[in-house]
Amino acid sequence: MKEIGVGIIGTGFMGTAHALALVTAARLFDLPARPRLETVVDPDPVRAEAMARRFGFARHAADWRAVVEDPAVDLVSVTTPNHLHRPMALAAIEAGKAVWCEKPLAPTTREALEMTRAAEDAGVPTAVGFNYLRNPLVRFARELIEAGEIGEIWTFRGIHAEDYMADPDTPWSWRLDPGAGGGVVADLGSHILAMARFLVGEIAAVNGDLATVVTDRPETPASPVRRPIEVDDVARALLRFSSGATGSIEASWVAAGRKMRLAFEVTGAKGTVMLDMERLNELRLFRRGAAAGREGFVEILAGPEHPDYAAFCPAAGHQIGFNDMKAIEARYVIEAVAGGRPFSPGFAEATAVQAAVDAIRRSATAGGWQRPADILYEAGGPT
Amino acid sequence: MKEIGVGIIGTGFMGTAHALALVTAARLFDLPARPRLETVVDPDPVRAEAMARRFGFARHAADWRAVVEDPAVDLVSVTTPNHLHRPMALAAIEAGKAVWCEKPLAPTTREALEMTRAAEDAGVPTAVGFNYLRNPLVRFARELIEAGEIGEIWTFRGIHAEDYMADPDTPWSWRLDPGAGGGVVADLGSHILAMARFLVGEIAAVNGDLATVVTDRPETPASPVRRPIEVDDVARALLRFSSGATGSIEASWVAAGRKMRLAFEVTGAKGTVMLDMERLNELRLFRRGAAAGREGFVEILAGPEHPDYAAFCPAAGHQIGFNDMKAIEARYVIEAVAGGRPFSPGFAEATAVQAAVDAIRRSATAGGWQRPADILYEAGGPT
Amino acid sequence: MKEIGVGIIGTGFMGTAHALALVTAARLFDLPARPRLETVVDPDPVRAEAMARRFGFARHAADWRAVVEDPAVDLVSVTTPNHLHRPMALAAIEAGKAVWCEKPLAPTTREALEMTRAAEDAGVPTAVGFNYLRNPLVRFARELIEAGEIGEIWTFRGIHAEDYMADPDTPWSWRLDPGAGGGVVADLGSHILAMARFLVGEIAAVNGDLATVVTDRPETPASPVRRPIEVDDVARALLRFSSGATGSIEASWVAAGRKMRLAFEVTGAKGTVMLDMERLNELRLFRRGAAAGREGFVEILAGPEHPDYAAFCPAAGHQIGFNDMKAIEARYVIEAVAGGRPFSPGFAEATAVQAAVDAIRRSATAGGWQRPADILYEAGGPT
Amino acid sequence: MKEIGVGIIGTGFMGTAHALALVTAARLFDLPARPRLETVVDPDPVRAEAMARRFGFARHAADWRAVVEDPAVDLVSVTTPNHLHRPMALAAIEAGKAVWCEKPLAPTTREALEMTRAAEDAGVPTAVGFNYLRNPLVRFARELIEAGEIGEIWTFRGIHAEDYMADPDTPWSWRLDPGAGGGVVADLGSHILAMARFLVGEIAAVNGDLATVVTDRPETPASPVRRPIEVDDVARALLRFSSGATGSIEASWVAAGRKMRLAFEVTGAKGTVMLDMERLNELRLFRRGAAAGREGFVEILAGPEHPDYAAFCPAAGHQIGFNDMKAIEARYVIEAVAGGRPFSPGFAEATAVQAAVDAIRRSATAGGWQRPADILYEAGGPT
């Protein structure tokens, strides 16, 4: 059986998630190729070694270039902070390797576009970790929409709210670095914008606002020195889709009590479909026209009739978890790298998401409606 | 015991609700005066007579002026379509009567301001039927906020979604008449804007968008002729509050599956409080700082410890309904008319809500952030 | 218009609820007769006078016999503690008056049967306040069942849990008096047994268990003396219905956190219907056979298409409350007294409920399956 | 690093789940030994080979004895139908191997006891797959109970309802074979009885009822011949715990709409804790004594502060799934086999569960309260 050598840069939550996802996917799906864990990288050799041992990587390294230069590696997973994605991805692409990068793809549309073009020029497959699109019920929601079951789409509302930055004493980090593309509109906003595009399509224009509610934070966990914060804690935007639908998104990392509330509600002429990732195994579907007194939202539990669920369990309602969505992502990454259909969302799609992020930023600064297409055009991309 | 003569203009859902609310309030609360049902008005004498008989009005009439001219009437309820509020209220005020008017107060801020000034000049009490503010749990939410239990307020999200106009064959009506102040931003948006102000305070600026999704409707239920629609089916706005908090509202009357989804989520530095009127007896409260593993939203069931609930039931969880909120409203209307503290929201507050509505309309047309205070100023009101 | 003179014994939660229900029903429904509030009774003259004044009773009294002897009274509401129902109802019946009695009807089946026979002999209408059966969605659930929409009924599960006795320092009261028919199986169990019968029919046999978890309580609120408790705090029973369906009920008044959790789940060969009174405006309906991936419980919001709802509001989702269910009950009480169809549940049905209560008690003492029909037979009733 | 050779008998849902769980556990937890997949067994060589290839088993076989005889195997997973557990487990034990067996352990208490004794005599570790006890929130619930946070336990209510047998045309299978220990009281009842014991402790007596609602089923999927059904589709029992607490359980595999509703509610003198496996990442906790108006169930989302969750994700609310609970189970199985603390629930605990199952069966037949301890005693076990 064909094999695909994998190198993973990063051993944090996402690095581990990528590795586990590959391991799981190879066991639960009929993959066209078997992922072979080659090299794992972490600047901390103890962490690198521990992860190599646990997951069975052949090698580990402190310098990410080890992965890029490893001839046994066909696919490079990039799970480092946002601003490091570009150099790593470009080097991997230059070395002819496929790249599986965490979101957001890059701090700016320009960088994202550069990465996309490099991959296209090199002809290497790319993938970006918008893993919530892999939820079987999200896929099913899109199928319902595409099949016209809720009619012409009229409105979209998307929220991604968490509270991991709600404590004003949570210290400064790269997520708060404007130079590194920090801010919630990039960190969580990119997820909900990707969802909006996945379900409703191209975003023609955005009209946004950004707010910083925690205005300074400790330099480091222990530090008495507080550093001013220049990035957004809350981002909101009104949306106009190319299809004519309208909508809104909100992203917040200071939403007390919310842990993983990526939620959407899509309404069309014939019905509504909605989901909240804090209950990722439940989809709610309303269709107009039920018999008198019997109208209502149907609470659908994820089951084997929804895409990819059956690999995990033959029975509905038993539930999949976060890592299972990542395993589904890994399935399609491996299929793409093995030569099947292109993976989506790849770099091009992630660049479009980034253009929407940047359009919201511009709108918040310059005011009014801004077009992601203009952002993309100015960055040198397609209009 | 002191009595207050009441005249009600309108016998529809709201006219009936006002009458029932007065009847209920007089029985469940210790009112300083007893409402006495004097005159009810409906152009259809059969309806007027039926309501008079059922509720025990002393008289009924087809012409609303009968109420205004009735010397036995101290309080006039105006429950007619929006554009009729002004002439009726002004006549009632001129006759020295208190006015309890349904929302929205008027088609425009200018008219609302005129009504407010007239009432102030005449020194008559006014009340506007933003009845959802009367929900004991909404009152309690405000008390929590005012007491600082969720800290400095950072964000607000408000939605009022229903689907009574979702069917493209629902015919044209005054709600769709731009000249009469039609459109969802007025019809439902006013409710959620009133809620935003009630919970978070003055709205400094709005940045909005309006969308019409059903572009024509039958002239009449039976008509084959379809009339173009010029008002909004969906309204959205980003908000900036004077306090520095930010937020958003959305109003839709084409939200398939939503029947009474007036929902808000207010987040502060220490917690979050939220409520959805489709479960009007449940408040969710999250406060940061719980013991490890025990953090979460508390689902609070309305009970006698919340404002006004005890009058309906001595035990929590037994639930009040829509008409009970209206009865609470009636309680405070009667108290205000009897000489107690001013009722809020009265005309002045409803005018401020209308200014926010008009600011969203202007923003949707002219673009960018618009200040309700400017709308008010241009209408001749306070800056 | 025909009028029905009403006397109400009791001014507590239920006395007030009866009075308000009559007032509301007369205004929202097209009744064949108008209730006229004649006499209200409370041993405390201040309370009696206050309620008379608020509700407009013509008279008030301290002795309940005043109501029974009042020639202007056609209908007597009995809202006193359980053990007082019998003498009051018998006196009212003897005086030829209709009786609307709160549940449970009597401390024992024998007494309930005596009351039923007296009413039948006198030919007076009777009604018992199992108000939860009046919930429009409960009525609708029964219609669904009767129409076969969930197929042959296989199972029933019913719970009525509250926590008003959960505090061990809640003092002794008549509800705890075994001589007065105290205990939760009577107080709350009767509600859920009435529900079981309403939805699934005759209960052929029960197999029950009773538990006392708070074994002594203060004699009075202030008392240091604690009185041993002899009645049940928790009651459970397995059920066998005459139809062949099986099920269970549980009643508890020490269920920490439950305020009004009267919940049922009825499953048949084709589906399931369920409701929880803590969300009394929501019914969940599952029907087998939906298209692939679209199966699930439908969350139905109470609306005008469900029995009696439209009188309160022309739109779904706006919600009715506890007192509205009582107003619906009052509607049918008045219709019955005015000469329409018999009210159900009347005394005969409440006697059957009481027989089920007593069968559970017997089962808990003597063990094994006990038949309510045997209890009834031994009490001198029909087999 | 120490290694543990594993053989798995069965390649169905549970065989796959065991294999995946071992793979995952080895990567996410710091195990004292690494599981090494040696042999997998399925009578169908295609299935056996496919699973061997996917999971990397060294060998595969059609005859289960291959695993028992494999000297490289230290731990035998038994995931075959119920009635096959005994011979396989006994052979494995005889060969000195640890056994990880799916539930229920055996068709009868006698057989379960025999297996338990054999394992004790041989000194081999045993584990039984009551995986729902591994849910981090179930563990946390038990910690809350043990810490007294909800006070002395008063009541327990447990339900395990699914609908995989609701269709009368679902054909006959070993689950319906009375000789193989079939029936829902064994299949699902054992889960909820294990949960009851896990949370509240020893069950002193049960009083149960069994019902068969689908009285015949096709012999095989295609067969026109229907076979009479002799086992229970619905099982219910009242419970008395040794602690003095009381409760009930219900198990049904014909519960239309239920997919994985293993739900419990435990109430004590100070509060209530509840969970429903259809939302396995949510625990509801009510504690008496909150400030006025702030009382309510707290909805706790599973997070890293709950046992074992952190291995899967560093953030709350991201959710684990069914297979993750199995991975946690595998963690403790490996730890036990590697020489750590004994695994619980092992065979002894599963035998106690089986005794409760058999006591319910006896009660359903013979009537009245039956003691699991008597069942155990009669089977030759401890009293």
Side-chain angles (χ1 to χ4, degrees), chain A residues 13 23 27-28 30 34 53-54 259-260 277-280 282 312 314 316-319 322-323, chain D residues 13 23 27-28 30 34 53-54 259-260 277-280 282 312 314 316-319 322-323:
Chain A
F13 175 27
V23 164
R27 280 151 186 85
L28 296 186
D30 260 326
R34 169 171 290 274
R53 181 169 34 80
R54 274 205 194 162
K259 303 305 173 185
M260 180 55 238
M277 288 284 167
E278 285 186 358
R279 287 180 178 162
L280 68 87
E282 297 179 21
F312 298 90
H318 286 55
Q319 297 178 51
F322 177 87
N323 287 312
Chain D
F13 175 27
V23 165
R27 279 149 187 86
L28 296 186
D30 260 326
R34 169 172 289 275
R53 181 167 36 78
R54 275 205 192 162
K259 303 304 173 185
M260 181 55 238
M277 288 285 168
E278 285 185 357
R279 288 180 177 162
L280 69 87
E282 298 179 22
F312 298 90
H318 286 55
Q319 298 179 52
F322 177 87
N323 287 312

Side-chain angles (χ1 to χ4, degrees), chain D residues 114-346:
Chain D
E114 179 188 0
M115 294 158 74
T116 305
R117 292 246 164 99
E120 286 170 359
D121 291 350
V124 301
T126 59
V128 180
F130 290 111
N131 44 277
Y132 301 110
L133 309 185
R134 300 298 159 183
N135 182 329
L137 290 175
V138 171
R139 289 272 304 282
F140 183 64
R142 179 158 127 158
E143 289 175 11
L144 289 171
I145 291 168
E146 285 178 343
E149 291 203 28
I150 60 167
E152 179 199 354
I153 300 307
W154 286 347
T155 63
F156 171 87
R157 182 170 57 249
I159 296 167
H160 193 155
E162 305 199 19
D163 67 0
Y164 53 92
M165 302 297 277
D167 185 345
D169 290 333
T170 297
W172 200 87
S173 74
W174 61 266
R175 288 179 200 275
L176 296 160
D177 183 354
V184 76
V185 69
D187 202 34
L188 299 185
S190 60
H191 269 308
I192 193 63
L193 287 162
M195 186 65 75
R197 289 176 54 87
F198 185 71
L199 295 172
V200 186
E202 195 72 34
I203 297 168
V206 304
N207 187 351
D209 196 23
L210 302 178
T212 307
V213 300
V214 178
T215 52
D216 56 40
R217 292 180 184 272
E219 278 274 359
T220 60
S223 171
V225 179
R226 298 184 73 89
R227 184 165 173 166
I229 300 301
E230 299 166 61
V231 301
D232 45 299
D233 291 319
V234 185
R236 299 182 191 85
L238 310 178
L239 306 182
R240 290 178 184 161
F241 293 89
S242 298
S243 67
T246 58
S248 68
I249 61 103
E250 177 178 332
S252 172
W253 58 26
V254 292
R258 297 310 188 184
K259 303 304 173 185
M260 181 55 238
R261 201 189 183 203
L262 192 167
F264 63 77
E265 188 165 334
V266 184
T267 296
K270 295 183 184 170
T272 292
V273 63
M274 57 185 297
L275 185 140
D276 175 349
M277 288 285 168
E278 285 185 357
R279 288 180 177 162
L280 69 87
N281 289 278
E282 298 179 22
L283 184 76
R284 276 173 172 69
L285 172 63
F286 179 92
R287 282 179 292 185
R288 293 178 50 214
R294 286 153 187 82
E295 194 181 68
F297 276 88
V298 184
E299 181 183 304
I300 298 170
L301 298 182
E305 292 167 335
H306 305 119
D308 292 316
Y309 179 97
F312 298 90
C313 177
H318 286 55
Q319 298 179 52
I320 62 167
F322 177 87
N323 287 312
D324 297 330
M325 292 190 291
K326 211 72 192 171
I328 299 171
E329 183 173 295
R331 171 198 175 169
Y332 292 106
V333 169
I334 293 298
E335 288 186 2
V337 177
R341 63 190 156 201
F343 183 94
S344 177

Side-chain angles (χ1 to χ4, degrees), chain B residues 10-21:
Chain B
T11 65
F13 176 26
M14 275 303 118
T16 306
H18 279 226
L20 182 66

Side-chain angles (χ1 to χ4, degrees), chain C residues 52-69:
Chain C
R53 182 169 33 81
R54 274 205 192 161
F55 281 86
F57 284 87
R59 289 168 296 285
H60 61 88
D63 185 337
W64 61 266
R65 285 178 189 82
V67 166
V68 172
E69 294 161 4

Side-chain angles (χ1 to χ4, degrees), chain A residues 94-119:
Chain A
E94 197 176 359
K97 299 180 192 311
V99 183
W100 180 13
C101 186
E102 268 311 306
K103 45 57 57 184
L105 183 54
T108 64
T109 302
R110 184 173 297 274
E111 290 168 81
L113 188 63
E114 179 189 359
M115 294 160 74
T116 305
R117 292 246 164 98

Side-chain angles (χ1 to χ4, degrees), chain C residues 5-337:
Chain C
V6 181
I8 297 182
I9 309 175
T11 66
F13 174 27
M14 275 303 118
T16 306
H18 279 224
L20 182 66
L22 289 162
V23 164
T24 302
R27 280 150 186 85
L28 296 186
F29 294 102
D30 259 327
L31 297 186
R34 169 171 290 273
R36 199 184 57 230
L37 301 183
E38 290 291 339
T39 306
V40 63
V41 170
D42 196 288
D44 177 345
V46 174
R47 289 178 59 97
E49 191 280 333
M51 182 150 161
R53 182 169 33 81
R54 274 205 192 161
F55 281 86
F57 284 87
R59 289 168 296 285
H60 61 88
D63 185 337
W64 61 266
R65 285 178 189 82
V67 166
V68 172
E69 294 161 4
D70 187 339
V73 166
D74 306 300
L75 168 67
V76 175
S77 270
V78 178
T79 72
T80 54
N82 187 355
H83 61 290
L84 301 176
H85 294 172
R86 182 178 153 279
M88 293 169 174
L90 290 180
I93 289 165
E94 196 176 358
K97 299 179 191 310
V99 183
W100 181 12
C101 185
E102 268 311 304
K103 45 56 58 184
L105 182 55
T108 65
T109 302
R110 184 172 296 275
E111 291 167 81
L113 189 62
E114 179 188 0
M115 294 159 74
T116 304
R117 292 245 165 98
E120 287 170 358
D121 291 350
V124 300
T126 60
V128 180
F130 290 112
N131 45 276
Y132 302 110
L133 309 185
R134 300 298 159 183
N135 182 329
L137 290 174
V138 170
R139 289 272 305 281
F140 183 65
R142 179 157 125 160
E143 289 175 11
L144 289 171
I145 291 168
E146 286 179 343
E149 291 203 27
I150 61 168
E152 180 196 355
I153 300 308
W154 285 348
T155 64
F156 172 87
R157 181 169 57 248
I159 295 166
H160 193 156
E162 305 199 20
D163 68 359
Y164 53 91
M165 301 298 278
D167 184 345
D169 290 335
T170 296
W172 199 87
S173 73
W174 60 268
R175 288 179 200 274
L176 296 159
D177 183 354
V184 76
V185 70
D187 203 32
L188 299 184
S190 60
H191 269 308
I192 193 64
L193 287 163
M195 186 66 76
R197 290 175 53 87
F198 184 71
L199 295 172
V200 186
E202 195 72 34
I203 298 169
V206 304
N207 187 350
D209 197 21
L210 303 178
T212 306
V213 300
V214 177
T215 52
D216 57 39
R217 294 181 183 271
E219 279 272 359
T220 60
S223 170
V225 180
R226 296 184 73 89
R227 183 164 173 167
I229 301 301
E230 299 165 62
V231 302
D232 45 299
D233 291 320
V234 185
R236 297 180 192 86
L238 309 177
L239 306 182
R240 290 179 184 160
F241 292 90
S242 299
S243 67
T246 58
S248 69
I249 61 101
E250 177 179 332
S252 172
W253 60 25
V254 293
R258 298 309 188 184
K259 304 304 174 186
M260 181 54 238
R261 199 187 185 205
L262 192 167
F264 63 79
E265 189 166 333
V266 183
T267 295
K270 295 185 183 169
T272 291
V273 63
M274 57 185 299
L275 184 142
D276 176 348
M277 288 284 167
E278 286 186 357
R279 288 180 177 161
L280 69 87
N281 289 279
E282 297 179 21
L283 183 77
R284 276 172 172 70
L285 171 64
F286 179 92
R287 282 179 290 184
R288 294 179 49 217
R294 286 153 187 81
E295 192 181 69
F297 277 89
V298 184
E299 181 183 305
I300 298 170
L301 298 182
E305 291 167 334
H306 305 118
D308 291 316
Y309 179 97
F312 298 90
C313 178
H318 285 55
Q319 297 177 53
I320 62 165
F322 177 87
N323 288 313
D324 297 330
M325 292 190 291
K326 211 71 191 172
I328 299 171
E329 183 174 296
R331 169 198 175 169
Y332 292 106
V333 169
I334 292 298
E335 289 186 1
V337 176

